[in-house]
């Protein structure tokens, strides 16, 4: 590095600034903020002409070529391209027609200023495509380049605020289909291969560039707005039930967003591909959205919640076309902005399509438990996080971005009013279309449409972490009426933070109820509106589900939760009960009994899924083995009896999912076995082939005596080759032979064995299942040690999910000691990864305190 500095004489003064700016971090691995700032004013009018020649064999390298056209206005410094691959992948370099020596160091291709000119430049590079983010399989591949992975594939300026056009040519085997961000304009056969030529793309950031190629089936919509879908699903029932609906949902999402934003669909096309092993639910690539196949292909017996989840996923990715793709964050510290708007808009646009669903309840149950799941931990973070280098951008993702941010945005919209909020959003889209903006730019626009102090409001909600714990102090007059009612809030982390927020409080009386609106702006609030009211029999805080935090809860009110007629009130009550339990205010057995009573009475599928999740967590993580054994017989019996009743299909599937997730007793296993054998058919319970495969795997984890035969027979039932590959990958994790499970987990030391991340996570969840932790705990130190390498080689959600399915499933003091000792022995451990560990093991640490 020192010699390189001497070679080029790196003393940099920004031409647009009066004071020198240090170039100290320009050549750091990754993309430093300083380098991104300089390049933003150094280059413009970027056009990538890319060619990839994809061979038939997965093991063969992909010969590639780039012609980069770029306008350069500042030659005080060399041109630095990002290429996160070995130097050997760079084969030749030609700059403005001149053969140039290749200088590649610390993930950067450095082009000396002597061969460059102010104005237009042409840079030609022959290279071998990097494969870290190419996701190659035997008969298909797909790129996934968020947030900084484009530079692992080809040399580029891998930062979000240097948007560019792309002209792509791909040669692939002739029986493969290809989809990319721009329309295909030419198709040329060359023996066993076909060359696909695509038109010049719209402007986009590097992380949004993509292509998918492989053996796919193709479907096209017949609407006025054409759409093309590539898929590998083979189940005819799912194909028939899903494809028409998927096209309709995209069309409706597009139409809603055009109207809401007052801006027409901003790109040339809206195509998509479904991928069996896709790492996320979806990814918003311009012109070629990618989805996890199982998220889009549902059968005719899908529950309302499953249908709603699919609609919201499609709404989320379509909303990104405006929020993220058209208007992109300037730097990835504002990545949350694109995600909050995608989630927020998804909720808005699905409402008309599903009028029978309680969408306030859906918002509550979709976002609050997940947001609390990170915000209650010692590893929590603000919505907006500082980012010094783009290589760490993947760690910014999580439930704070995806779930707390929409809660924040709903508070903001409520405080501003829907009309003023929408007007501000329309102005924001129009102002920054095809460009970049940060949170402050949006705040300035919204500030013009409200009398609120958005800067102060934003400081706590966006720039600070954590949540408030609320309490009350009630005083009564001699006649029994309320003389004083004071609500207080205290930050959970003990600081003096104050959350300005709106929520309702409902008083319950023997024959009626009364609701009061609360606007918290200070640490305490004297709610004068209730003075003179009779003492209520019960008080429900946050009864409209709008507020954020842990609210007061009276143990005496627990038996009445399931009797609340308002669904949002029931949902908020169950969520608040769960949070109070984890905070140590309610004993786990009391919460469990309340959830058990609730699941017996609940008729709303959304709430049944919420209760099931909370009950399962208490059962597996907050009970000792003896406690589980004590409550299991009655719980199994209750749920099995419910399955025999005449209940709606949606509800029955939810109850069966809960039952199969806890029924590990001999009786439970035999019942599940008979269902799997199809000797027992439960009325109105519609199980598809994937459900039966999952059931076979569950029986293996439970240690059913016939598990080997079950898995062997189940394998013969699977006809889809992708699902069969997954099944075979997971077999060692399901084995009754401890050595086979050990060998599989040890194999994850090698990055190549972790490429199919969703499969790896499933395998780890089986290996480290609560029933197997006595044999698996020896792997916990390795699971923690691998986390740094997983961050380097895996996609954005992999580190947290890895920690969750390994260390996060444990409840023993031995496991707690292993995690604590690991952190103590590594005081300089990556703070981002430390936060992921603290998030994933929060239950483990809380269990020790509660017990």
């Amino acid at each position: 590095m020192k010699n390189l500095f001497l070679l080029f004489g790196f003393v940099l003064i920004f031409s647009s600034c009066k004071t020198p700016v240090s170039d100290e971090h320009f050549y750091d691995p990754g993309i430093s903020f300083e380098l991104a700032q300089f390049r933003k004013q150094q280059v413009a009018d970027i056009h990538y002409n890319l060619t990839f020649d994809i061979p038939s064999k997965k093991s063969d390298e992909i010969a590639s070529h780039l012609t980069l056209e770029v306008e350069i206005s500042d030659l005080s410094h060399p041109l630095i391209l990002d290429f996160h691959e070995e130097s050997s992948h760079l084969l030749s370099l030609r700059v403005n027609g001149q053969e140039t020596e290749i200088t590649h160091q610390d993930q950067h291709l450095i082009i000396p200023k002597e061969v460059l000119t102010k104005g237009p430049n042409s840079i030609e590079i022959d290279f071998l495509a990097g494969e870290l983010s190419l996701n190659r399989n035997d008969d298909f591949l797909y790129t996934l380049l968020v947030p900084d992975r484009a530079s692992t594939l080809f040399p580029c300026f891998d930062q979000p605020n240097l948007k560019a056009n792309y002209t792509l040519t791909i040669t692939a085997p002739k029986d493969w289909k290809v989809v990319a961000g721009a329309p295909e304009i030419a198709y040329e056969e060359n023996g066993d291969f076909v060359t696909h030529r695509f038109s010049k793309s719209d402007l986009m950031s590097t992380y949004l560039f993509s292509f998918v190629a492989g053996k796919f089936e193709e479907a096209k919509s017949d609407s006025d707005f054409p759409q093309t879908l590539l898929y590998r699903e083979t189940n005819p029932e799912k194909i028939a039930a899903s494809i028409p609906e998927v096209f309709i949902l995209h069309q409706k999402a597009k139409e809603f967003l055009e109207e809401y934003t007052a801006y027409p669909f901003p790109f040339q096309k809206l195509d998509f591909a479904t991928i069996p092993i896709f790492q996320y639910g979806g990814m918003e690539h311009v012109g070629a959205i990618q989805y996890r196949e199982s998220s889009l292909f549902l059968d005719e017996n899908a529950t309302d919640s499953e249908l709603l989840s699919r609609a919201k996923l499609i709404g989320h990715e379509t909303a990104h076309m405006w929020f993220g793709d058209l208007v992109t964050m300037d730097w990835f510290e504002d990545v949350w902005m694109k995600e909050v708007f995608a989630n927020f808009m998804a909720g808005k646009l699905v409402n008309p399509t599903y009028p029978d669903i309680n969408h306030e309840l859906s918002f509550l149950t979709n976002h609050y438990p997940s947001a609390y799941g990170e915000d209650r931990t010692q590893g929590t973070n603000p919505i907006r996080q500082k980012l010094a280098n783009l290589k760490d951008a993947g760690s910014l993702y999580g439930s704070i971005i995806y779930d707390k941010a929409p809660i924040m945005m709903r508070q903001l919209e409520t405080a501003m009013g829907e009309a003023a909020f929408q007007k501000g959003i329309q102005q924001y889209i129009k102002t920054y279309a095809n460009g970049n903006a940060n949170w402050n730019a949006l705040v300035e626009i919204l500030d013009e449409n409200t009398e609120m102090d958005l800067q102060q409001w934003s400081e706590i909600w966006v720039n600070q972490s954590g949540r408030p714990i609320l309490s009350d102090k009630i005083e009564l007059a001699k006649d029994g009426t309320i003389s004083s009612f004071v609500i207080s809030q205290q930050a959970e982390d003990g600081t003096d933070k104050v959350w300005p927020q709106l929520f309702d409080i409902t008083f319950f009386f023997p024959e009626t109820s009364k609701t009061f609106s609360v606007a918290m702006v200070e640490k305490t609030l004297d709610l004068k509106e209730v003075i003179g009211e009779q003492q209520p029999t019960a008080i429900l805080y946050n009864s409209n589900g709008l507020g954020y935090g842990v609210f007061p809860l009276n143990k005496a009110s627990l038996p009445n939760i399931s009797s609340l007629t308002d669904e949002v009130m029931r949902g908020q009550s169950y969520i608040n009960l769960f949070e109070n339990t984890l905070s140590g205010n309610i004993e786990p057995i009391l919460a469990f009994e309340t959830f058990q009573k609730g699941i017996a009475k609940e008729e709303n599928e959304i709430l049944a899924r919420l209760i099931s999740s909370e009950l399962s967590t208490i059962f597996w993580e907050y009970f000792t083995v003896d406690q589980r054994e004590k409550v299991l017989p009655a719980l199994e019996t209750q749920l099995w009896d419910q399955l025999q009743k005449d209940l709606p299909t949606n509800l029955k599937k939810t109850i069966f999912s809960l039952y199969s997730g806890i029924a590990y007793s001999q009786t439970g296993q035999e019942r599940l076995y008979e269902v799997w054998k199809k000797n027992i058919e439960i009325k109105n319970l519609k199980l598809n082939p994937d459900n039966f495969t999952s059931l076979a795997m569950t029986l293996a984890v439970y240690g059913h005596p016939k598990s080997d035969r079950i898995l062997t027979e189940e394998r013969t039932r699977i006809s889809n080759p992708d699902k069969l590959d997954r099944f075979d990958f997971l077999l060692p994790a399901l084995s009754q032979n401890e050595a086979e499970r050990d060998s599989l987990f040890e194999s994850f030391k090698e990055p190549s064995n972790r490429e199919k991340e969703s499969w790896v996570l499933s395998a780890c969840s089986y290996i480290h299942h609560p029933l197997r932790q006595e044999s698996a705990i020896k792997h916990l130190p390795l699971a923690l040690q691998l986390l740094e390498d997983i961050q380097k080689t895996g996609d954005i959600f992999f580190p947290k999910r890895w920690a969750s399915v390994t260390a996060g499933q444990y409840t023993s003091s031995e496991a707690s000691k292993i995690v604590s000792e690991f952190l103590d022995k590594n005081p300089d451990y990556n703070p981002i990864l430390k936060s992921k560990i603290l998030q994933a093991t929060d239950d483990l640490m809380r269990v020790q305190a509660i017990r």
Side-chain angles (χ1 to χ4, degrees):
M1 176 68 73
K2 183 177 180 181
N3 291 336
L4 200 60
F5 271 67
L6 292 174
L7 176 64
F8 292 118
F10 290 162
V11 178
L12 171 66
I13 299 177
F14 276 58
S15 60
S16 59
C17 301
K18 294 182 180 180
T19 56
V21 178
S22 171
D23 59 7
E24 178 183 358
H25 298 291
F26 277 22
Y27 300 89
D28 290 355
I31 299 96
S32 69
F33 180 66
E34 293 87 348
L35 173 61
Q37 279 186 309
F38 175 74
R39 289 197 304 205
K40 177 61 178 174
Q41 61 91 32
Q42 181 189 28
V43 301
D45 297 330
I46 304 165
H47 183 197
Y48 298 101
N49 291 272
L50 281 162
T51 300
F52 297 97
D53 293 334
I54 302 172
S56 299
K57 293 182 180 179
K58 173 186 171 184
S59 57
D60 291 347
E61 294 173 322
I62 298 177
S64 308
H65 179 81
L66 166 65
T67 298
L68 170 63
E69 298 166 350
V70 60
E71 186 92 10
I72 301 178
S73 59
D74 187 336
L75 285 177
S76 63
H77 198 279
L79 187 68
I80 303 174
L81 290 167
D82 310 313
F83 189 53
H84 187 179
E85 251 301 345
E86 299 295 327
S87 298
S88 59
H89 278 239
L90 293 167
L91 306 179
S92 70
L93 172 64
R94 191 175 181 86
V95 182
N96 293 323
Q98 179 181 340
E99 292 292 336
T100 304
E101 184 178 351
I102 295 171
T103 303
H104 180 259
Q105 191 164 342
D106 289 329
Q107 304 173 11
H108 298 294
L109 171 59
I110 302 163
I111 300 176
K113 56 188 177 182
E114 289 77 10
V115 296
L116 299 167
T117 62
K118 285 191 176 182
N121 288 260
S122 178
I123 300 166
E124 298 178 66
I125 306 170
D126 287 311
F127 65 100
L128 300 176
E131 298 194 20
L132 181 62
S133 303
L134 199 48
N135 299 285
R136 292 182 75 178
N137 297 270
D138 288 334
D139 58 358
F140 72 95
L141 60 81
Y142 61 96
T143 62
L144 184 55
L145 307 181
V146 62
D148 63 336
R149 297 301 178 89
S151 56
T152 69
L153 177 62
F154 64 95
C156 60
F157 304 111
D158 205 359
Q159 61 190 74
N161 60 1
L162 286 179
K163 291 189 172 184
N165 300 107
Y166 298 78
T167 299
L168 179 64
T169 300
I170 292 180
T171 299
K174 66 186 306 181
D175 57 347
W176 285 27
K177 291 183 170 61
V178 181
V179 66
E184 185 170 346
I185 56 174
Y187 178 96
E188 304 166 9
E189 290 195 17
N190 303 296
D192 293 333
F193 292 85
V194 168
T195 297
H196 305 261
R197 302 186 189 279
F198 297 86
S199 65
K200 188 175 182 180
S201 76
D202 301 291
L203 281 172
M204 68 177 92
S205 302
T206 46
Y207 78 90
L208 294 169
F209 168 78
S210 74
F211 58 87
V212 177
K215 293 182 179 179
F216 288 85
E217 297 299 320
E218 183 178 84
K220 292 182 178 293
S221 69
D222 55 5
S223 65
D224 293 336
F225 184 77
Q227 304 167 58
T228 299
L229 164 65
L230 299 187
Y231 66 95
R232 290 173 62 89
E233 178 62 61
T234 58
N235 184 300
E237 290 79 14
K238 288 187 176 183
I239 292 171
S242 299
I243 290 180
E245 185 65 15
V246 164
F247 285 137
I248 291 171
L249 289 171
H250 280 91
Q251 178 75 20
K252 288 184 175 180
K254 168 188 168 291
E255 292 170 354
F256 173 89
L257 287 155
E258 286 180 324
E259 181 177 353
Y260 187 91
T261 62
Y263 198 98
F265 182 74
F267 301 109
Q268 298 176 51
K269 66 189 184 82
L270 180 62
D271 293 340
F272 33 95
T274 64
I275 299 165
I277 58 171
F278 197 59
Q279 293 91 320
Y280 320 150
M283 177 60 203
E284 67 273 15
H285 302 116
V286 169
I289 300 173
Q290 295 171 11
Y291 291 103
R292 182 179 299 162
E293 194 154 74
S294 59
S295 299
L296 258 58
F297 281 88
L298 307 175
D299 61 31
E300 60 183 4
N301 300 306
T303 67
D304 288 345
S305 290
E306 290 169 335
L307 294 171
L308 180 64
S309 293
R310 178 176 66 182
K312 284 191 172 181
L313 173 60
I314 289 172
H316 178 107
E317 303 306 337
T318 308
H320 270 312
M321 299 300 111
W322 285 262
F323 301 97
D325 295 8
L326 176 64
V327 179
T328 310
M329 63 273 164
D330 192 65
W331 185 239
F332 258 87
E333 65 187 11
D334 281 314
V335 64
W336 68 275
M337 289 178 64
K338 74 183 183 72
E339 299 303 337
V340 67
F341 279 116
N343 261 352
F344 198 60
M345 292 300 155
K348 283 181 175 293
L349 65 88
V350 300
N351 290 5
T353 306
Y354 296 90
D356 295 333
I357 289 178
N358 185 330
H359 294 287
E360 291 297 316
L361 175 65
S362 177
F363 187 97
L364 178 76
T365 59
N366 280 340
H367 295 299
Y368 281 78
S370 184
Y372 290 158
E374 285 191 5
D375 221 9
R376 76 168 83 95
T377 75
Q378 293 184 39
T380 189
N381 52 262
I383 291 174
R384 192 184 198 208
Q385 304 171 65
K386 294 295 183 182
L387 182 66
N389 192 301
L390 204 60
K391 67 183 175 63
D392 295 321
S395 63
L396 303 181
Y397 289 80
S399 294
I400 298 300
I401 281 178
Y402 285 97
D403 295 296
K404 184 179 181 180
I407 293 169
M408 173 276 293
M409 198 62 75
R410 187 171 69 151
Q411 281 276 341
L412 177 58
E413 182 189 50
T414 302
M416 288 184 62
E418 290 188 21
F421 181 81
Q422 183 177 359
K423 181 181 178 182
I425 296 306
Q426 290 177 348
Q427 185 179 347
Y428 166 75
I429 291 290
K430 181 179 179 180
T431 302
Y432 294 102
N434 291 309
N436 301 82
N438 60 22
W439 170 241
N440 292 330
L442 176 58
V443 167
E444 287 179 7
I445 289 175
L446 294 179
D447 237 349
E448 298 174 4
N449 296 279
T450 181
E451 295 180 358
M452 292 174 58
D453 184 347
L454 286 188
Q455 296 290 348
Q456 180 181 353
W457 187 92
S458 173
E459 177 58 29
I460 183 65
W461 275 101
V462 178
N463 296 327
Q464 301 290 330
S465 63
R467 60 181 184 171
I469 307 295
L470 290 96
S471 60
D472 59 19
K473 183 178 180 181
I474 305 172
E475 296 180 1
L476 301 177
K478 293 182 179 180
D479 62 358
T481 60
I482 295 174
S483 61
S484 176
F485 192 103
V486 178
I487 305 169
S488 301
Q489 60 170 306
Q490 173 65 53
E492 193 168 19
D493 60 10
T495 62
D496 59 357
K497 291 177 286 193
V498 174
W499 282 260
Q501 59 173 317
L502 308 171
F503 58 86
D504 287 351
I505 296 178
T506 298
F507 283 10
F508 291 91
F509 304 98
E511 301 296 332
T512 187
S513 64
K514 194 169 184 179
T515 297
F516 304 90
S517 295
V518 175
M520 291 286 294
V521 292
E522 303 291 345
K523 191 168 186 176
T524 62
L525 172 68
D526 187 356
L527 192 62
K528 298 185 182 299
E529 292 86 343
V530 305
I531 294 176
E533 294 285 345
Q534 293 294 319
Q535 183 178 8
T537 56
I539 301 174
L540 177 58
Y541 282 83
N542 195 27
S543 55
N544 61 345
L546 186 64
Y548 188 78
V550 182
F551 294 86
L553 180 64
N554 190 323
K555 290 182 182 180
S557 67
L558 299 185
N560 300 320
I561 292 177
S562 62
S563 300
L564 289 168
T565 56
D566 185 279
E567 292 172 340
V568 171
M569 289 185 178
R570 286 206 306 281
Q572 161 59 19
S573 297
Y574 285 124
I575 291 170
N576 197 41
L577 167 59
F578 186 78
E579 295 305 319
N580 272 275
T581 303
L582 269 57
S583 295
N585 302 326
I586 301 291
E587 296 86 348
I589 187 61
L590 290 180
F592 178 84
E593 290 170 349
T594 305
F595 295 138
Q596 186 174 359
K597 179 181 177 182
I599 198 65
K601 294 180 61 176
E602 190 54 61
E603 297 179 354
N604 182 292
E605 183 213 342
I606 294 174
L607 282 172
R609 287 165 65 96
L610 170 70
I611 299 168
S612 295
S613 174
E614 294 176 330
L615 186 150
S616 181
T617 299
I618 298 295
F619 178 83
W620 285 114
E621 299 188 24
Y622 284 84
F623 279 175
T624 63
V625 174
D626 289 343
Q627 286 175 312
R628 286 205 305 258
E629 299 287 346
K630 184 176 180 180
V631 303
L632 183 58
L635 179 59
E636 280 188 2
T637 299
Q638 173 188 313
L639 295 175
W640 185 256
D641 288 347
Q642 283 182 257
L643 289 169
Q644 313 314 310
K645 295 179 180 178
D646 188 18
L647 299 175
T649 298
N650 290 350
L651 193 58
K652 202 157 259 195
K653 202 165 186 178
T654 300
I655 294 171
F656 182 75
S657 178
L658 175 59
Y659 179 79
S660 61
I662 58 92
Y664 66 89
S665 72
Q666 182 177 349
T667 300
Q669 287 187 45
E670 287 310 307
R671 285 172 175 163
L672 292 175
Y673 175 73
E674 291 301 317
V675 172
W676 175 80
K677 286 288 288 183
K678 303 181 181 178
N679 293 332
I680 293 179
E681 184 174 340
I682 300 173
K683 183 181 178 182
N684 287 340
L685 179 63
K686 309 295 183 182
L687 300 177
N688 60 43
D690 294 340
N691 299 139
F692 282 103
T693 299
S694 178
L695 189 52
M697 293 178 176
T698 297
L699 286 167
V701 173
Y702 288 171
H704 192 281
K706 297 180 181 178
S707 60
D708 289 343
R709 277 182 279 171
I710 291 170
L711 293 174
T712 300
E713 182 178 340
E714 182 60 33
R715 192 181 188 281
T716 66
R717 297 179 179 182
I718 302 172
S719 58
N720 183 293
D722 295 322
K723 294 176 182 179
L724 188 59
D725 287 346
R726 177 181 184 270
F727 186 84
D728 288 342
F729 181 90
L730 294 177
L731 278 176
L734 300 165
S735 174
Q736 303 307 301
N737 185 331
E738 182 180 335
E740 288 187 39
R741 302 197 301 269
D742 293 347
S743 178
L744 178 61
F745 192 78
E746 290 282 336
S747 75
F748 295 150
K749 292 177 183 177
E750 294 296 324
S752 60
N753 294 327
R754 303 193 302 258
E755 287 180 353
K756 294 179 172 61
E757 294 177 4
S758 62
W759 295 7
V760 171
L761 294 172
S762 293
C764 289
S765 71
Y766 292 136
I767 293 170
H768 295 271
H769 188 277
L771 295 178
R772 290 176 157 182
Q773 288 177 1
E774 188 174 335
S775 65
I777 195 169
K778 62 179 176 287
H779 298 304
L780 190 48
L782 175 60
L784 296 170
Q785 292 163 15
L786 287 176
L787 200 55
E788 284 186 308
D789 194 50
I790 283 170
Q791 185 196 34
K792 294 175 183 176
T793 61
D795 283 297
I796 54 179
F797 299 112
F798 198 24
K800 167 66 184 301
R801 289 173 177 172
W802 169 273
S804 296
V805 297
T806 55
Q809 292 198 84
Y810 285 84
T811 60
S812 67
S813 57
E814 181 183 359
S816 172
K817 183 178 178 182
I818 290 171
V819 173
S820 296
E821 287 182 349
F822 175 82
L823 295 175
D824 289 342
K825 290 178 180 178
N826 295 278
D828 298 323
Y829 191 67
N830 183 322
I832 296 170
L833 292 182
K834 179 179 179 181
S835 294
K836 300 301 180 187
I837 293 173
L838 292 173
Q839 291 171 10
T841 60
D842 184 66
D843 284 326
L844 169 62
M845 300 307 177
R846 287 178 186 271
V847 166
Q848 311 313 309
I850 291 176
R851 292 178 182 172

